[in-house]
Amino acid sequence: MTDSSPGPTRRRARVRAPELTGKGGWLNTGGKQYRLADLRGRIVILDFWTFCCVNCLHVVDELRELEDKHRDTVVVIGVHSPKFVHEAEHQAVIDAVERYGVEHPVLDDPELATWKQYAVRAWPTLAVIDPEGYVVAQHSGEGHVHAIEQLVTELEAEHAAKGTLRRGDGPYVAPEPEPTVLRFPGKALLLPSGNFLVSDTTRHQLVELEADGESVVRRIGSGVRGLSDGTADTATFNEPQGLALLDDGSVVVADTVNHVLRRLDLTSGEVTTLAGTGRQWMQGDATSGPGREVNLSSPWDVAWWQGKVWIAMAGIHQLWTYDPADGTVSVAAGTTNEGLVDGPDTEAWFAQPSGLAATPDRLWLADSETSALRWVDPDGTVHTAVGTGLFDFGHRDGAAEQALLQHPLGVTALPDGSVAVSDTYNHALRRYDPAAGEVTTLATDLREPSDAVLVGDDIVVVESARHRLTRLRLPEEAVRVEAVAHHTQRAATEVSPGRLQLDVIFQAPAGQKLDTRYGPSTRLLVSSTPPELLVDGEGAGTDLSRALELDPAVPEGVLHVSAMAASCDDDPANEYPACHVHQQDWGVPVRVTEGGTDRLPLVLAGLDA
């Protein structure tokens, strides 16, 4: 369902904004609790996010410039709406707000109360509230900030003229910094010298530590968020993560929020850029070519395998490679659709791959959003060892087909052919034995472990939320833990059996129209888990509305919906109009029941009339 008429000529729809409620209370406000009435007169942007979600982290970064430019009229409020059980812990939210440099108030909503009131169906979702307390726009996914800024400019002018705009300082109060050696470290690498190199993610640096894992040898990077090459003192990073050693003794760095790969010369400390432009990859961008000319998207980890650097491209759910021989990058596996689908590299689906480990015959990966451990064969075939999909997770050992993880971020190859998994949201180190097909627990009480490296008979774990490296003796016996299984807290949408009308709502931003110069400007892809749920309506098409047929014999499942729309500036005099691609993937849990709804509206941009 689309409306391509330009924004200024249409009357803007308004819906009274529901109150902001969250059992966890407010963060980044100096302890003050807020209600919507306290913000009357300001333009409020609600950012529904959860800290596991890389697309949510993209939006946090997209909003920074808008927040700064409109600081006296706009208040951004992050509404933290958890997917995983761990994300409902208040301290975990506090940690995430600092970890990712969130510089606006955050409402901790562990029970999804505000999420439900605003009828949100996807992470991330942005809702714009005007100075009189009405919702005037909603956007799902990332890449919408250009449209929101235009709307903000219109609202500023409109409400200044009406006398309903109130300018001034916002409610954000910065927390006090903590004096630790590391701050939310991401990944670690054992250097030939026996020292460790650690990505000190929140401080935008790399830190070399002595073999004790505590004493600082040197820091690489100025500590200021940025993208500049140079010496150890002058180079800048932006939340770096993965590290890999190359044959020439240099280190490749996944500079995650800069969307680039960097090279560190260990001898001189010089930092240079290998691949990426500093701009985030979007649909339609090149998928191969000279490294410095191709956009990347949140590279989270790197590993050396089969003569190339393999990249866990978390931001677009793919694996890419970088070839040092000719300096090129290319897609290696994944379609950009988010989910768990095995098979040939061109058909496999991933969900935020975040950790890599190479052995001669397998590239292991931690696929965080599906709470899965997976691997790639040398021929490119993708397999799953542990994990079933986006919405099931927990801490359960035993046979791999029924074992559960919770948002793992790291994987480490062990000498006996098994792998250790940094099971991040379970605060545990797990082990998968391919020979036995069994999962065990090696250690617990590790606070958000995100990586681990072998050092002789020990394993050194990056305890990200304890800001340290922790050395453990590899245990000969597994730790016994009580099995726990979870399903996402998101309530399933009750739908009627039979026909279900799917409407993706898209309204082109003000001053833009659908881009039809080269054919249809919209695309809709629908599938389901289990596949039997959909009798009719599966597959790809160009219409954003589709009649689905559900099998009444399948009581529940997940509808996977991926929508794309392209819009361009609506100015006939402009020979080269600026164009934007809007895309979002939804995984909608549904329960088939008599009396359920027969229409499923999903808002890509605009409001559902």
Side-chain angles (χ1 to χ4, degrees):
M1 180 177 290
T2 63
D3 174 1
S4 59
S5 60
T9 65
R10 63 178 178 229
R11 185 181 178 197
R12 186 180 297 119
R14 301 202 310 171
V15 177
R16 176 61 72 181
E19 188 54 80
L20 305 179
T21 58
K23 191 175 180 181
W26 291 79
L27 307 177
N28 280 357
T29 62
K32 183 173 179 179
Q33 306 297 300
Y34 280 87
R35 297 179 61 82
L36 265 180
D38 301 324
L39 305 171
R40 195 61 50 83
R42 311 298 291 273
I43 300 164
V44 177
I45 300 174
L46 302 182
D47 176 16
F48 291 88
W49 71 300
T50 187
F51 64 78
C52 70
C53 162
V54 71
N55 309 95
C56 300
L57 303 183
H58 290 167
V59 170
V60 168
D61 289 303
E62 288 176 359
L63 287 169
R64 294 186 198 279
E65 186 176 344
L66 183 148
E67 290 180 83
D68 188 57
K69 185 176 178 181
H70 299 270
R71 191 165 295 281
D72 65 337
T73 59
V74 171
V75 175
V76 176
I77 294 174
V79 182
H80 189 268
S81 314
K83 171 186 172 180
F84 290 98
V85 169
H86 169 59
E87 292 173 310
E89 296 177 16
H90 186 62
Q91 184 59 49
V93 181
I94 294 172
D95 289 346
V97 167
E98 181 190 348
R99 179 196 299 267
Y100 297 116
V102 179
E103 296 181 350
H104 51 246
V106 172
L107 175 63
D108 180 12
D109 182 19
E111 296 175 346
L112 304 181
T114 298
W115 162 289
K116 293 170 186 172
Q117 287 297 311
Y118 281 78
V120 175
R121 296 185 184 275
W123 296 278
T125 290
L126 295 167
V128 182
I129 302 173
D130 73 11
E132 294 178 297
Y134 289 89
V135 178
V136 293
Q138 188 168 315
H139 299 265
S140 295
E142 52 187 287
H144 297 293
V145 170
H146 67 282
I148 291 175
E149 179 159 20
Q150 173 132 2
L151 175 58
V152 164
T153 301
E154 291 177 15
L155 291 172
E156 286 174 338
E158 176 185 330
H159 288 274
K162 290 173 67 175
T164 50
L165 184 70
R166 177 167 58 88
R167 296 179 181 271
D169 292 334
Y172 171 68
V173 177
E176 289 294 322
E178 296 285 343
T180 53
V181 172
L182 301 172
R183 202 71 192 161
F184 297 105
K187 304 288 184 182
L189 178 67
L190 181 64
L191 298 176
S193 64
N195 289 349
F196 296 98
L197 187 67
V198 183
S199 52
D200 197 13
T201 304
T202 298
R203 295 223 178 101
H204 316 296
Q205 291 179 318
L206 308 179
V207 180
E208 183 177 349
L209 301 174
E210 291 182 11
D212 62 8
E214 298 177 3
S215 306
V216 175
V217 177
R218 58 175 170 168
R219 292 182 179 272
I220 295 130
S222 70
V224 175
R225 186 191 294 268
L227 173 53
S228 58
D229 292 340
T231 65
D233 294 330
T234 63
T236 56
F237 298 92
N238 197 343
E239 298 182 26
Q241 287 280 351
L243 307 164
L245 195 65
L246 297 184
D247 289 343
D248 65 1
S250 65
V251 174
V252 175
V253 183
D255 194 0
T256 304
V257 178
N258 276 329
H259 311 295
V260 296
L261 295 188
R262 314 293 289 280
R263 177 185 183 273
L264 168 65
D265 185 311
L266 285 171
T267 303
S268 67
E270 191 79 15
V271 176
T272 52
T273 300
L274 294 175
T277 64
R279 295 184 299 276
Q280 183 185 337
W281 188 95
M282 295 293 180
Q283 287 291 343
D285 288 355
T287 55
S288 64
R292 293 294 301 271
E293 299 175 15
V294 178
N295 297 337
L296 309 181
S297 182
S298 294
W300 207 276
D301 203 5
V302 282
W304 179 254
W305 192 52
Q306 295 186 319
K308 295 180 180 179
V309 175
W310 285 67
I311 310 163
M313 204 72 78
I316 45 177
H317 318 299
Q318 289 183 313
L319 300 179
W320 286 44
T321 59
Y322 168 75
D323 188 345
D326 58 12
T328 59
V329 294
S330 61
V331 174
T335 65
T336 76
N337 292 109
E338 183 179 16
L340 193 154
V341 177
D342 289 339
D345 47 17
T346 56
E347 300 173 12
W349 291 21
F350 300 100
Q352 224 169 286
S354 302
L356 299 174
T359 64
D361 60 346
R362 290 185 182 185
L363 179 71
W364 292 97
L365 65 110
D367 206 26
S368 61
E369 278 296 290
T370 51
S371 298
L373 172 65
R374 306 176 74 184
W375 84 86
V376 184
D377 280 340
D379 68 1
T381 305
V382 178
H383 308 264
T384 297
V386 182
T388 58
L390 286 164
F391 300 110
D392 292 292
F393 49 89
H395 191 154
R396 186 164 65 200
D397 288 336
E401 58 268 18
Q402 58 86 52
L404 293 172
L405 309 170
Q406 187 180 179
H407 197 79
L409 290 178
V411 59
T412 307
L414 300 180
D416 62 358
S418 66
V419 289
V421 179
S422 295
D423 193 6
T424 309
Y425 289 1
N426 279 328
H427 311 300
L429 189 68
R430 311 287 291 283
R431 175 178 178 265
Y432 168 66
D433 180 357
E438 294 281 327
V439 174
T440 52
T441 297
L442 297 177
T444 57
D445 191 31
L446 299 166
R447 188 70 185 171
E448 292 191 17
S450 55
D451 196 21
V453 293
L454 278 176
V455 184
D457 294 329
D458 295 341
I459 191 163
V460 175
V461 181
V462 180
E463 271 199 277
S464 189
R466 283 199 178 113
H467 320 292
R468 70 188 188 191
L469 302 187
T470 299
R471 184 182 293 260
L472 304 172
R473 176 70 61 170
L474 270 176
E476 295 181 8
E477 292 187 5
V479 177
R480 297 289 180 189
V481 295
E482 185 176 345
V484 179
H486 299 296
H487 192 73
T488 179
Q489 292 188 66
R490 285 180 60 186
T493 299
E494 294 193 346
V495 297
S496 61
R499 188 180 186 277
L500 176 68
Q501 180 64 33
L502 171 65
D503 291 328
V504 174
I505 314 301
F506 177 75
Q507 295 160 347
Q512 295 197 349
K513 64 178 181 179
L514 288 174
D515 178 18
T516 56
R517 293 172 298 166
Y518 308 109
S521 61
T522 56
R523 186 187 70 191
L524 181 65
L525 176 67
V526 180
S527 62
S528 68
T529 303
E532 297 78 26
L533 176 64
L534 270 179
V535 176
D536 191 35
E538 183 181 10
T542 58
D543 193 339
L544 291 183
S545 291
R546 188 180 300 179
L548 309 180
E549 186 76 22
L550 304 184
D551 187 343
V554 180
E556 60 183 12
V558 178
L559 290 175
H560 304 284
V561 180
S562 178
M564 182 275 286
S567 62
C568 292
D569 289 346
D570 186 17
D571 182 359
N574 186 354
E575 187 177 356
Y576 302 104
C579 297
H580 303 275
V581 176
H582 315 261
Q583 183 180 16
Q584 174 63 17
D585 292 343
W586 291 268
V588 183
V590 295
R591 182 176 299 112
V592 180
T593 180
E594 293 292 342
T597 184
D598 61 1
R599 178 174 179 261
L600 179 62
L602 301 175
V603 177
L604 179 59
L607 288 176
D608 179 20

